[in-house]
Amino acid sequence: MASILNRAMLHGGDYNPDQWLSSPDILARDIELMKQAHVNCVSLAIFAWSALEPEEGVYTFDWLQNVIDRLYENGIYTVLATPSGARPAWMAQKYPEVLRVDETLHRNHYGDRHNHCYTSPIYREKVWEMDSRLSKAFGNHPGVILWHISNEYSGACYCPLCQEEFRRFLKKKYKTLDALNAAYWTGFWSHTYTDWSQIEAPVPRGEMLLHGLSVDWHRFVTQRTVDFFNWEKAAVRAGGSELPVTTNLMSFYYDLDYTKFADSLDLVSWDSYPSWRTDPRGDVAVAIHTAMAHDYMRSLKRQPFLLMENTPNQVNWKQINRLKAPGQNLLAAMQAVAHGSNSVQYFQWRQSRGGNEKFHGAVVDHYGEPDTRVFREVAEVGKTLEQLAPLCKTCPQPQVALILDRENEWAIDEACSPRKPMRYEETLESHYQAFWRLGIGVDVVSADADLTPYRLVIAPMLYMYREGVAEKLRAFVEAGGTLVGTYWSGLVDENDLCYLGPTPAGGMHEVFGVRYQEIDPLRDTDENAMTWNDKTYALHDLCELVEPLADRWVEEGEDGPTACFAANEKTAEILACYEKDFYAGYPALTVHNFGKGKAYYLASRAEDAFYVDFYTKLAGELSLSRALDADLPEGVTATLREGEGCKVVCVQNFNTEPVSISLRTPVRPFGEPDGEAVTTLSLPGYGFAFVTP
Ligand code: GAL
């Protein structure tokens, strides 16, 4: 029979029976309660190293065997973790090198978790031994479906072993010191390296101003982490298990470029902890941010993913840990599914009695019985997911790509750029929210992604053009694609070295029909404006002064010399101009026909309303399909999953108030082929509906 991964939605969460081994009654009760909560899958052993190897070389797997067996007998599958995210005290005491060195170059003491060196040969050896033994013991158990490798890989180690690896990484990349010096422009302030051993990781009391070095360090940290992941994966394979592997990612986690994990992962999974009812911008903004996170995670492999963790009601690690209101847990679960998740898993199943997370929300709290609001709502999620099993083989398949490029973001932030903050991710979200409001799917991809599946590509603030990027964007437009680029684009190469000549580089100025001249950063209290399609929009943050590639000359008039332009086919058409400051009249929004396609250039950051109007028009012109043929009320979105002849739209209302949506094309309730087609959808506050177009 096909794995449950391919035939059902998973529902369950992190289960830590190792904390309850002295209470067999509780372990037995867990299974009864799981069945009541419609749980079909739990993640085991994530932080269980002490229970699995209490002394060096003494492996105690019996308890785990019992738990996996009993779960399986009761129809509950296991996602089995490797416990490398936290290690036993005996190991750190005997082998201090397993502990991490921080950026002050001091070695951490034992404590916390995720406190390990990714290079330490001893840590790698211990992890190999543990993972391969777990694989041998359980990797072919019929109840085990997936490997959960480690937990939320994060952070970096600055120990001498890691620094040596960093130098090795640089040698491999640059081959000669001359090449490295040239790439980093080290002649500036006499920072020229004359021996590889002089190179150190960027740290606060050391070299923080060689931007190329800093970006390379970020790349190295990603490479080390992926390498460690691959080491763990190889250990699992060496133990004889061919089950798929995942690791739980953290969506927009800044310090890793998750796109580099994509090839190693069989399945993407991630942990989602939105600030519902807390974020001062309100829950609709939280919904948009979370939707974009789901899309970013799904786009890593352009396949369904797993929601590996979320909380049934509250976390305990933010400043204010508000509860999800009634209905919000179910809606957040359905939002994940709408964007391509094939699971809804919680942290955690049973609330711990002690330790750091004793007041973190859990399905079963300290009271221990199912007659709680949280338990009832979780059970409802489980029941709902059972009806959604046919969605497993479907996935959103957007025609729009938004480029979120992590290396680009690091480079923008490391450089002494025109203003701080540059607001890269917020800017992307400003573009994204327009599509959310329109109910048009978006993939969130890196600048290295294949653009052929898309009709519209949006590349805001793509400051770094790595090799091949300009060529690809150009080819995309030439072949008929529509590209939206913005200010602060195409200025540097992959080492943060500025391109000489016209920019956006790589001939992209010809694609946009404009070229960069200067950029004026605004204070938070400053605003400029532009008028487009009879509406005036505020502009913020950065105003770029671009020069259209027009024929130019100066005429002497009565009031002195005036610059004159004459359009030619190389120049962009000006759609809107700045209205204030000395650059009033300069282009703020342009479009240029290039090849069979079109390239828009937005020279400043506009208020959100602009993106909604702009992309509504573009969506119409490009006939981009909307999930629902309707104008969606504020706070409502619709998401389409499709595949294997099945099309399902999930309509979600993030308002506390009910909404009614008039449809231009009728839909039927999902799963009821003979159900009545309707032209109005009414959703309660926090309501949702699955419908078939
Ligand atoms: C996650 C982590 C879990 C748990 C959870 C609490 O980041 O993977 O182990 O700590 O947060 O919200």
Side-chain angles (χ1 to χ4, degrees), residues 82 87 125 254 350 365 386 441 465 550 583 596 615 661 666:
T82 65
R87 67 226 47 79
E125 184 192 313
Y254 184 84
R350 180 180 283 278
D365 64 14
E386 283 165 1
Y465 278 3
Y583 41 90
K596 294 188 191 140
Y615 288 120
I661 310 165

Side-chain angles (χ1 to χ4, degrees), residues 222-453:
T222 292
Q223 186 259 20
R224 260 306 61 195
T225 313
V226 173
D227 188 75
F228 195 86
F229 172 84
N230 283 334
W231 174 266
E232 292 212 61
K233 182 174 169 181
V236 159
R237 296 286 180 251
S241 173
E242 291 303 323
L243 288 174
V245 296
T246 190
T247 186
N248 48 343
L249 307 177
M250 297 176 280
S251 65
F252 300 121
Y253 177 69
Y254 184 84
D255 290 333
L256 292 173
D257 177 3
Y258 282 147
T259 58
K260 302 289 191 297
F261 282 76
D263 288 345
S264 301
L265 296 170
D266 295 316
L267 255 179
V268 169
S269 68
W270 82 282
D271 301 342
S272 175
Y273 292 101
S275 296
W276 300 116
R277 302 177 65 238
T278 312
D279 190 310
R281 298 170 308 156
D283 273 354
V284 172
V286 176
I288 291 170
H289 181 78
T290 310
M292 182 166 151
H294 285 308
D295 286 345
Y296 180 40
M297 294 289 92
R298 183 197 63 245
S299 304
L300 290 176
K301 287 187 88 71
R302 302 186 74 235
Q303 283 169 14
F305 60 93
L306 299 179
L307 176 62
M308 193 56 97
E309 291 180 23
N310 84 120
T311 177
N313 61 339
Q314 70 191 141
V315 297
N316 72 335
W317 45 264
K318 298 189 182 180
Q319 282 301 104
I320 308 283
N321 302 298
R322 297 206 75 186
L323 295 172
K324 282 176 171 167
Q328 244 179 341
N329 185 45
L330 180 58
L331 177 60
M334 294 309 117
Q335 180 191 32
V337 170
H339 285 268
S341 179
N342 279 359
S343 73
V344 176
Q345 306 279 102
Y346 301 100
F347 180 87
Q348 62 176 329
W349 165 254
R350 180 180 283 278
Q351 198 166 32
S352 309
R353 268 195 88 177
N356 191 42
E357 289 174 328
K358 56 184 174 294
F359 293 121
H360 191 290
V363 179
V364 180
D365 64 14
H366 295 143
Y367 166 60
E369 295 300 326
D371 53 333
T372 64
R373 175 183 84 94
V374 168
F375 191 95
R376 277 192 294 270
E377 291 198 25
V378 165
E380 201 186 339
V381 172
K383 245 202 272 174
T384 312
L385 287 173
E386 283 165 1
Q387 291 150 21
L388 298 175
L391 267 69
C392 269
K393 300 221 168 92
T394 66
C395 192
Q397 294 175 22
Q399 301 167 312
V400 180
L402 174 65
I403 294 186
L404 187 165
D405 191 273
R406 187 62 72 196
E407 293 192 2
N408 175 64
E409 183 172 17
W410 293 330
I412 288 178
D413 293 346
E414 291 293 349
C416 295
S417 38
R419 84 189 299 282
K420 297 254 183 246
M422 292 290 276
R423 300 210 171 99
Y424 177 64
E425 286 187 27
E426 289 101 311
T427 303
L428 297 185
E429 212 167 301
S430 294
H431 290 261
Y432 179 88
Q433 55 88 29
F435 294 93
W436 188 90
R437 293 176 198 282
L438 292 168
I440 295 177
V442 176
D443 272 351
V444 181
V445 301
S446 89
D448 295 328
D450 170 16
L451 301 181
T452 49

